[in-house]
Amino acid sequence: MYLEKIHLVNYRNIIETLHQLNPNINILLGYNGQGKTNFIESIYILGTGSSHKNNVDRELINWQHQKALIRVLLKRRDQDLKISLLIDRSGKKAEINDTPLARISELIGNINVVLFSPEDLNLVKGGPYYRRRFIDLEISQVSPYYYYQLQKYNHVLKQRNNLLKEIRDKKSDDKLLEMWDQQLIETGSKIILKRIKVIDKLKILARLSQRQITNGSENLSVEYDLSLKEVLGDEEQTRLIFKHLLTNNRKEEIKRGYTLFGPHRDDLVFKVNNVDIRKYGSQGQQRTTSLALKLAELEYMKSETGEYPILLLDDVFSELDQKRSNTLLNLIDGKIQTFITTTDLTTLDNLKQDNYSFFQVEKGVLTLKG
Ligand SMILES: Nc1ncnc2c1ncn2[C@@H]1O[C@H](COP(=O)(O)OP(=O)(O)OP(=O)(O)O)[C@@H](O)[C@H]1O
Ligand SMILES: [Mg+2]
C-alpha cells in the first residue's frame, strides 16, 4: 500500500502542505526543529489513532489555530481510500471515503504503518511496557478482533483493580470479584493465545533479519515471557491455569489492590547468541536487535495482509553504520513506500538515483526538490 497524496493543515508547525508522494522513497531533508518528525507523526496517527510522542490532541494543533487536518489518498491493492482526520478542541474525528467513523479506533487497520526511530532502542533497553506495546500494536493493525479484545481487557482490568482496592479497604465484598475474574480470564486468554501464535512467527522473521544485518554472526532468539508461566495448550486449558492463579493468589492481590497475572504483566525476552541482550548487549547490538524486530514486523504485516505497510524512518540512518544502512536500503528500495527524515544527505549515499522524491523542510514548509 502507499500514500498517493497528503494534505496537512495547521498540523503542529506545518501550516499547509499539499503534495503528491512517491510510491517508493520520500526523503525529508532539513535542519533540526523544522517539522520533519511532525510530518512523519501525522502519517503515524492515521495508522494507529494516536501519536507516538504524546496523548494530548491539543498539542497537535498549530498554536495559532483552532483545528488541524490530516488528509491522505491511500492506494491499497484492492481499493483506494480517502482518509481524513480532523483534530479540534473537542478531540479527533475521522472519515473514510467521506463517511464519518463512530470511533477513532476504527481508523486502525486501514493504513498499516511501521515506525522506526532512535527511541525504539527502548524496545530492547526499556521496561516491559515498550515490548507489550510493540506486540499489541503490531497485532492490532492486522487484527481488529485482537484490538477489540485488548480494549475490553484493559477496561475489565481497571474495574477489577478498583474492586480489589475497595475490598482491601472494606468497602466492597469479595464475592463481586467472581464476575470480573470471569471476564478477565475470558479476554485475557484470547490475547495470550494470539500473542503466542504471532510471536512464533515473529521470532523466525527476527532471527532471519538479525543474521542478515550481522552477516550471520548474531543469532537472535525471541521468547514470550508469560505471567501465567506454563501455557501450552488450548483456550480451555489457558482459562483453567489463569483461574487457578487468580484463586490461589486472591489474598495477595487484595493486599496489593492490583491484578498480578495476565497479559498486562507479560514481557518478551531477547537473547543474542544466548545472552540476554537487554542486560548484557552493547549499544550497537541493542540497536541491531531493535532494527531486526522492526524488519520482522514489516514482514509479519506483509504475510498477514498481502501488502507491505508504510515505513516511517525518523532519524534512523545517522545511527546506523554503512553495512546496516545498506541492508535496510536494499530491503525497502522498490518494495515499500518509505518516508525518511534526515539532516544530512550523505547518510543516504547508496540510494539509487531516480527512485525517490526529495523534500526540503524549512520552518514547517515542505518543498519538493525533484
Ligand atoms: N502545536 C504546535 N504548533 C506550532 N509549532 C509546533 C507545535 N508542536 C511542535 N511545534 C514545533 O515543531 C518543531 C519541531 O518539529 P520536528 O520535531 O518535526 O522537528 P524536526 O525537523 O524533526 O527536527 P530534528 O531534526 O531536531 O528532529 C519545534 O520547533 C516545535 O516548536
Ligand atoms: Mg525529528
Side-chain angles (χ1 to χ4, degrees):
M1 68 183 69
Y2 67 93
L3 299 177
E4 191 179 63
K5 257 190 232 165
I6 190 162
H7 186 191
L8 300 177
V9 182
N10 300 328
Y11 185 81
R12 291 203 188 259
N13 73 336
I14 302 169
I15 298 302
E16 174 145 28
T17 196
L18 175 63
H19 280 292
Q20 198 85 19
L21 299 167
N22 194 308
N24 194 34
I25 291 173
N26 297 270
I27 300 170
L28 299 141
L29 173 74
Y31 293 119
N32 295 139
Q34 301 302 307
K36 303 183 298 295
T37 300
N38 294 345
F39 182 86
I40 292 250
E41 180 193 38
S42 73
I43 299 172
Y44 184 85
I45 292 184
L46 288 188
T48 64
S50 61
S51 164
H52 61 293
K53 295 210 299 197
N54 70 26
N55 262 324
V56 186
D57 292 341
R58 181 167 21 88
E59 289 176 14
L60 307 176
I61 308 168
N62 182 269
W63 297 320
Q64 320 293 328
H65 293 85
Q66 303 301 314
K67 39 183 143 168
L69 178 73
I70 310 168
R71 207 156 59 175
V72 295
L73 182 60
L74 175 74
K75 296 276 196 185
R76 291 194 69 129
R77 218 170 30 162
D78 48 351
Q79 58 184 335
D80 295 357
L81 294 176
K82 265 196 302 184
I83 302 177
S84 76
L85 183 67
L86 182 78
I87 309 158
D88 64 19
R89 305 276 148 179
S90 64
K92 295 191 280 245
K93 295 178 201 80
E95 285 182 2
I96 294 186
N97 290 340
D98 302 317
T99 308
L101 302 184
R103 276 175 295 274
I104 286 301
S105 58
E106 289 171 27
L107 262 184
I108 298 179
N110 289 291
I111 304 182
N112 295 142
V113 291
V114 170
L115 167 71
F116 187 47
S117 73
E119 286 110 72
D120 282 312
L121 206 50
N122 278 328
L123 193 53
V124 181
K125 275 180 93 167
Y129 160 81
Y130 292 101
R131 289 177 286 281
R132 285 194 297 267
R133 187 166 181 268
F134 166 72
I135 198 77
D136 286 341
L137 203 58
E138 171 177 344
I139 307 176
S140 295
Q141 285 201 56
V142 295
S143 165
Y145 181 71
Y146 181 83
Y147 185 66
Y148 169 73
Q149 294 297 335
L150 206 58
Q151 285 185 311
K152 203 162 133 190
Y153 182 83
N154 288 331
H155 171 73
V156 173
L157 180 66
K158 208 168 143 193
Q159 302 293 325
R160 189 176 186 272
N161 285 342
N162 285 339
L163 184 60
L164 286 168
K165 284 189 198 83
E166 284 182 14
I167 298 169
R168 180 189 61 195
D169 303 340
K170 312 253 181 296
K171 291 182 192 150
S172 262
D173 196 314
D174 67 357
K175 285 192 192 69
L176 292 170
L177 266 179
E178 199 70 21
M179 183 189 86
W180 292 117
D181 281 7
Q182 227 175 11
Q183 292 193 45
L184 193 82
I185 291 167
E186 176 81 27
T187 50
S189 301
K190 289 195 167 79
I191 292 169
I192 290 168
L193 289 170
K194 180 70 179 179
R195 281 186 186 167
I196 290 176
K197 256 196 198 154
V198 174
I199 292 164
D200 271 347
K201 284 189 187 169
L202 195 75
K203 66 168 101 169
I204 298 168
L205 297 169
R207 192 181 181 86
L208 217 70
S209 303
Q210 184 98 358
R211 288 185 63 86
Q212 243 174 354
I213 306 166
T214 63
N215 252 342
S217 71
E218 291 188 5
N219 286 305
L220 172 65
S221 80
V222 179
E223 295 302 331
Y224 185 16
D225 183 14
L226 283 138
S227 73
L228 263 59
K229 294 301 171 205
E230 76 248 72
V231 172
L232 291 166
D234 56 9
E235 203 166 320
E236 184 58 37
Q237 204 189 349
T238 311
R239 282 201 216 108
L240 284 175
I241 296 168
F242 206 160
K243 191 172 172 57
H244 186 70
L245 277 169
L246 293 182
T247 315
N248 283 358
N249 293 281
R250 181 148 293 184
K251 260 196 195 147
E252 183 64 18
E253 288 199 320
I254 292 172
K255 197 171 114 196
R256 298 218 209 164
Y258 186 72
T259 303
L260 295 171
F261 301 92
H264 66 291
R265 304 275 287 182
D266 294 351
D267 199 355
L268 295 170
V269 180
F270 306 132
K271 289 187 180 161
V272 168
N273 299 340
N274 284 326
V275 173
D276 189 335
I277 200 78
R278 183 177 174 207
K279 293 187 191 130
Y280 303 109
S282 73
Q283 183 99 340
Q285 285 177 315
Q286 291 176 335
R287 204 161 264 145
T288 306
T289 302
S290 69
L291 177 60
L293 290 164
K294 288 288 162 166
L295 296 179
E297 188 182 3
L298 277 177
E299 295 298 334
Y300 171 75
M301 286 193 187
K302 162 93 190 305
S303 74
E304 290 297 301
T305 66
E307 293 186 89
Y308 275 113
I310 292 164
L311 180 61
L312 308 171
L313 300 175
D314 195 12
D315 267 337
V316 165
F317 287 94
S318 56
E319 308 253 347
L320 297 175
D321 61 29
Q322 200 65 42
K323 164 97 182 62
R324 279 160 222 211
S325 298
N326 286 346
T327 309
L328 182 55
L329 285 175
N330 283 337
L331 200 107
I332 58 186
D333 207 355
K335 276 197 292 189
I336 303 173
Q337 188 182 37
T338 307
F339 294 84
I340 300 174
T341 72
T342 184
T343 52
D344 176 9
L345 269 188
T346 56
T347 57
L348 295 167
D349 272 352
N350 289 309
L351 266 186
K352 289 181 210 92
Q353 281 299 316
D354 56 8
N355 231 352
Y356 56 82
S357 297
F358 167 45
F359 298 91
Q360 184 92 41
V361 186
E362 208 179 341
K363 293 191 182 135
V365 178
L366 265 80
T367 314
L368 181 66
K369 293 287 178 186

